[in-house]
């Protein structure tokens, strides 16, 4: 007999059909004669109700002893449910217990647990409604991203995880070494190490994506990135996923348009494909979520320059912890004020001071700012960071030297400006921050299956 997924049984509603289904017991209620089991197989938010009666051979010996978390296989007939609460139920002809879960020990007994507690059982938390819903939305978004870029004529490029260039220049690269732990001494030299020079885990695939954009026009890279950043906040991870398109013959305005179109399409997909999940988050995690997401899709993103943003902050009645003046980097509190109070929605801030942005961003004619863009969203702050790239050889070389980069080590990157250089742009979307935005989950540790943060890497 074919293994069925509950999501299909619930939508197809083939009343009268005898089917086999396997899953985990969410709840059991009943008596010595009759039991109602809520079964989940993870395929959807909704469970399948199984009705088991005392005529089953193992009714008293096993069915009556089933508790939350036990795994079962049921063969039975799909019938129209006579009771309220579900359209369809499965009348069991045969029920096999596949795996017991001792109710004295299994930690997921209560219906609702706090996310902080669930973080202490990373290996069991996907069995809860909320974490499974996050995982389904994450998977849906993953496919939607590839679909969106394929439609737009992009090619996916697999950029390396081990690299010798610190793209963002923030000194947050984890070192990768082939040296045995006892050989790592203060006088050990990278020259004698595996790659012959210092290598690390990538902080961004951008620089390598640029190589392929300069050959194939439109590319994107999407994968894990790593930052040894000691930020213990609800929006930082040491390992997170980043989506980075890189587009030749495209300036900052084109870059912003693509990002806006992409964000809107991805949200629309989730609103259409994950309705039950969005309902759950709207009801229990972030009231009004669906309306806010719909507003994001329906309205144009507000845009302002960094200088305008600073003026807004200087005019604000609110007191900020970090002082505001032209030249400072925007802190989360500033970003949130600008989105929530000024733009009342998504905000694109452009043309940041060059001193607070990486070397590769294109210098504006004022000599003080670069063609950068950050996309900020309420509650989270920075969701996307991007720019037009410096395509002029001399300017790029000067910016590299100013940032303390050795041009010899980055000859390959400079070469892109020596041979057929063109205007080009790109951006990076923090995938987990985007999932936070779409689900309303307040802590980034709850939207990645296995969070890595300072002092913590369970599983
Ligand atoms: O602004 P960032 O540092 O930009 C880059 O790395 C560029 N090279 C991207 C590009 O132009 N191709 O990072 C991009 C985004 C941020 O806006 C944020 O959403 C996310 O990545 N991000 C993090 N997400 C989780 N944890 C962290 N520690 C993050 N650091 C950045
Ligand atoms: Mg940034």
């Amino acid at each position: 007999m074919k293994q069925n997924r509950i999501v299909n049984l619930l939508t197809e509603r083939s009343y009268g059909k005898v089917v086999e289904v396997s899953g985990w017991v969410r709840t059991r209620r009943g008596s010595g004669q009759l039991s109602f089991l809520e079964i989940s197989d993870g395929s959807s938010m909704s469970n399948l109700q199984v009705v088991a009666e005392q005529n089953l051979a193992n009714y008293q010996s096993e069915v009556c002893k089933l508790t939350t978390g036990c795994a079962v296989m049921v063969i039975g007939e799909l019938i129209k449910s006579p009771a309220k609460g579900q359209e369809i139920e499965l009348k069991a002809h045969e029920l096999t217990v596949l795996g017991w879960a001792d109710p004295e020990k299994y930690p997921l007994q209560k219906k609702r647990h706090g996310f902080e507690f669930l973080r202490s059982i990373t290996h069991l938390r996907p069995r809860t409604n909320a974490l499974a819903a996050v995982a389904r939305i994450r998977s849906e978004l993953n496919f939607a991203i590839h679909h969106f870029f394929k439609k737009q004529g992009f090619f996916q490029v697999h950029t390396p995880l081990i690299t010798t260039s610190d793209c963002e220049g923030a000194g947050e690269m984890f070192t990768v070494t082939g040296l045995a732990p006892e050989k790592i001494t203060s006088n050990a030299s990278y020259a004698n190490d595996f790659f012959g020079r210092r290598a690390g885990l990538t902080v961004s695939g951008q620089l390598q994506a640029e190589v392929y954009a300069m050959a194939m026009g439109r590319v994107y890279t999407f994968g894990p990135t790593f930052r040894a950043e000691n930020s213990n906040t609800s929006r930082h991870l040491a390992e997170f996923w980043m989506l980075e398109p890189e587009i030749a013959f495209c300036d900052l305005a084109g870059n912003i348009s693509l990002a806006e179109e992409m964000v809107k399409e991805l949200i629309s997909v989730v609103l259409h494909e994950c309705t039950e999940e969005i309902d759950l988050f709207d009801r229990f995690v972030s009231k009004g979520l669906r309306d806010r997401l719909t507003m994001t899709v329906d309205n144009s993103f507000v845009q302002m320059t960094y200088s305008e943003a600073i003026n807004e902050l200087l005019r604000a009645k609110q007191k900020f912890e970090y002082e505001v003046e032209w030249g400072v980097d925007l802190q989360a509190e500033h970003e949130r004020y600008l989105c929530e109070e000024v733009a009342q929605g998504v905000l694109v801030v452009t043309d940041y001071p060059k001193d607070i942005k990486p070397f590769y961003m294109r210098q504006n004619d004022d000599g003080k700012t670069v063609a950068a863009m950050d996309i900020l969203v309420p509650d989270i702050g920075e969701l996307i960071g991007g720019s037009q790239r410096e395509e002029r050889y001399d300017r790029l070389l000067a910016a590299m030297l100013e940032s303390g980069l050795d041009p010899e080590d980055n000859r390959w990157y400079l070469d892109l400006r020596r041979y057929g250089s063109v205007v080009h742009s790109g951006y990076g979307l923090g995938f987990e921050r985007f999932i936070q935005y779409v689900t309303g989950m307040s802590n980034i540790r709850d939207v990645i299956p296995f969070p890595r943060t300072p002092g913590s890497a369970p599983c």
Side-chain angles (χ1 to χ4, degrees):
M1 196 176 288
K2 179 173 152 248
Q3 275 272 346
N4 292 283
R5 295 286 272 166
I6 288 175
V7 66
N8 300 329
L9 297 181
L10 294 177
T11 45
E12 289 162 11
R13 299 193 195 163
S14 307
Y15 299 120
K17 192 170 168 191
V18 173
V19 297
E20 176 188 314
V21 60
S22 299
W24 293 271
V25 175
R26 278 298 169 87
T27 58
R28 186 188 73 85
R29 63 196 164 81
S31 62
Q33 290 88 47
L34 181 68
S35 286
F36 295 99
L37 302 164
E38 289 287 324
I39 308 284
S40 162
D41 66 357
S43 61
S44 81
M45 192 90 237
S46 304
N47 302 321
L48 177 66
Q49 173 160 292
V50 172
V51 184
E53 295 182 53
Q54 60 178 344
N55 58 353
L56 294 180
N58 57 349
Y59 187 78
Q60 300 297 344
S61 61
E62 294 191 321
V63 177
C64 282
K65 294 180 184 152
L66 286 171
T67 51
T68 306
C70 294
V72 293
M73 191 269 279
V74 187
I75 296 174
E77 183 186 345
L78 292 167
I79 58 169
K80 211 167 169 39
S81 180
K84 275 216 291 254
Q86 63 283 316
E87 292 284 326
I88 192 166
E89 60 189 32
L90 187 68
K91 188 172 171 356
H93 295 169
E94 204 183 312
L95 188 153
T96 310
V97 180
L98 303 174
W100 292 98
D102 183 349
E104 299 296 318
K105 302 202 176 115
Y106 186 56
L108 294 174
Q109 294 297 334
K110 271 198 313 189
K111 269 226 145 155
R112 287 179 74 185
H113 297 272
F115 291 125
E116 199 173 336
F117 165 71
L118 292 176
R119 256 171 253 145
S120 71
I121 45 167
T122 321
H123 59 300
L124 296 175
R125 66 179 186 164
R127 301 175 183 207
T128 62
N129 276 341
L131 272 287
V134 167
R136 280 191 295 271
I137 288 182
R138 189 178 170 111
S139 173
E140 191 67 46
L141 278 172
N142 175 68
F143 287 112
I145 282 169
H146 293 296
H147 185 66
F148 174 83
F149 282 104
K150 187 169 162 59
K151 260 193 329 190
Q152 300 267 349
F154 281 72
F155 298 99
Q156 185 186 9
V157 174
H158 295 131
T159 51
L161 297 191
I162 299 177
T163 176
T164 51
S165 42
D166 177 359
C167 173
E168 295 305 292
E172 290 166 349
M173 201 156 82
F174 283 102
T175 300
V176 170
T177 177
L179 291 175
E182 65 276 10
K183 295 256 169 69
I184 303 177
T185 56
S186 53
N187 54 10
S189 153
Y190 290 124
N192 302 324
D193 203 346
F194 193 92
F195 297 103
R197 56 191 280 201
R198 188 187 165 194
L201 294 177
T202 187
V203 297
S204 157
Q206 176 199 322
L207 303 187
Q208 290 92 350
E210 282 185 58
V211 170
Y212 273 77
M214 287 301 114
M216 304 177 79
R218 297 180 147 215
V219 299
Y220 68 102
T221 176
F222 182 31
T225 47
F226 308 86
R227 294 192 187 182
E229 185 179 10
N230 203 5
S231 298
N232 245 315
T233 79
S234 59
R235 39 180 229 135
H236 286 92
L237 291 165
E239 176 180 304
F240 63 100
W241 280 59
M242 205 187 331
L243 165 69
E244 299 180 274
E246 195 63 39
I247 319 121
F249 317 109
C250 175
D251 63 8
L252 189 69
N255 200 26
I256 294 171
S257 301
L258 180 77
E260 179 164 352
E261 195 183 333
M262 178 197 78
V263 166
K264 289 178 171 177
E265 172 154 329
L266 296 180
I267 293 176
S268 298
V269 169
V270 172
L271 285 172
H272 285 108
E273 301 297 323
C274 308
T275 48
E276 285 190 311
E277 285 78 8
I278 293 296
D279 280 348
L280 175 96
F281 293 116
D282 198 327
R283 283 179 64 200
F284 299 115
V285 173
S286 177
K287 292 252 175 309
L289 176 73
R290 181 186 294 280
D291 289 346
R292 288 199 301 279
L293 292 176
T294 307
M295 292 244 299
T296 303
V297 173
D298 291 345
N299 291 303
S300 296
F301 292 0
V302 176
Q303 205 169 307
M304 67 173 70
T305 64
Y306 167 90
S307 301
E308 287 165 342
I310 291 292
N311 287 338
E312 287 290 350
L313 293 170
L314 289 172
R315 269 206 296 276
K317 296 209 172 60
Q318 185 172 326
K319 274 264 149 271
F320 297 109
E321 192 186 332
Y322 291 88
E323 212 175 310
V324 177
E325 60 175 322
W326 200 96
V328 300
D329 208 353
L330 298 182
Q331 300 294 324
E333 56 171 349
H334 306 138
E335 295 176 340
R336 291 191 52 179
Y337 173 84
L338 291 167
C339 279
E340 292 160 27
E341 306 299 326
V342 182
Q344 296 181 348
V346 183
L347 173 66
V348 189
V349 179
T350 63
D351 305 295
Y352 283 77
K354 71 175 169 49
D355 293 343
I356 58 170
K357 289 292 184 190
F359 74 97
Y360 55 73
M361 294 192 177
R362 190 182 199 276
Q363 243 192 66
N364 288 328
D365 292 341
D366 61 12
K368 292 193 308 193
T369 60
V370 284
M373 64 104 163
D374 275 6
I375 301 190
L376 316 177
V377 293
D379 297 324
I380 293 163
E382 184 188 335
L383 177 69
I384 287 179
S387 76
Q388 190 170 321
R389 317 307 188 190
E390 185 55 83
E391 84 284 12
R392 298 161 297 187
Y393 182 90
D394 295 340
R395 294 288 188 103
L396 183 63
L397 181 62
M400 265 184 180
L401 291 170
E402 223 175 284
S403 305
L405 289 173
D406 183 350
E408 262 326 296
D409 287 347
N410 296 283
R411 182 118 312 269
W412 61 276
Y413 190 67
L414 281 161
D415 268 0
L416 304 178
R417 279 71 180 171
R418 290 175 68 205
Y419 311 122
S421 187
V422 297
V423 166
H424 64 291
S425 302
Y427 60 82
L429 166 90
F431 191 44
E432 286 74 21
R433 290 196 190 169
F434 189 55
I435 300 169
Q436 279 189 280
Y437 184 60
V438 172
T439 57
M441 294 288 281
S442 58
N443 197 313
I444 198 165
R445 294 168 177 84
D446 301 329
V447 297
I448 186 161
F450 301 98
R452 273 84 182 90
T453 51
S456 170
C459 289

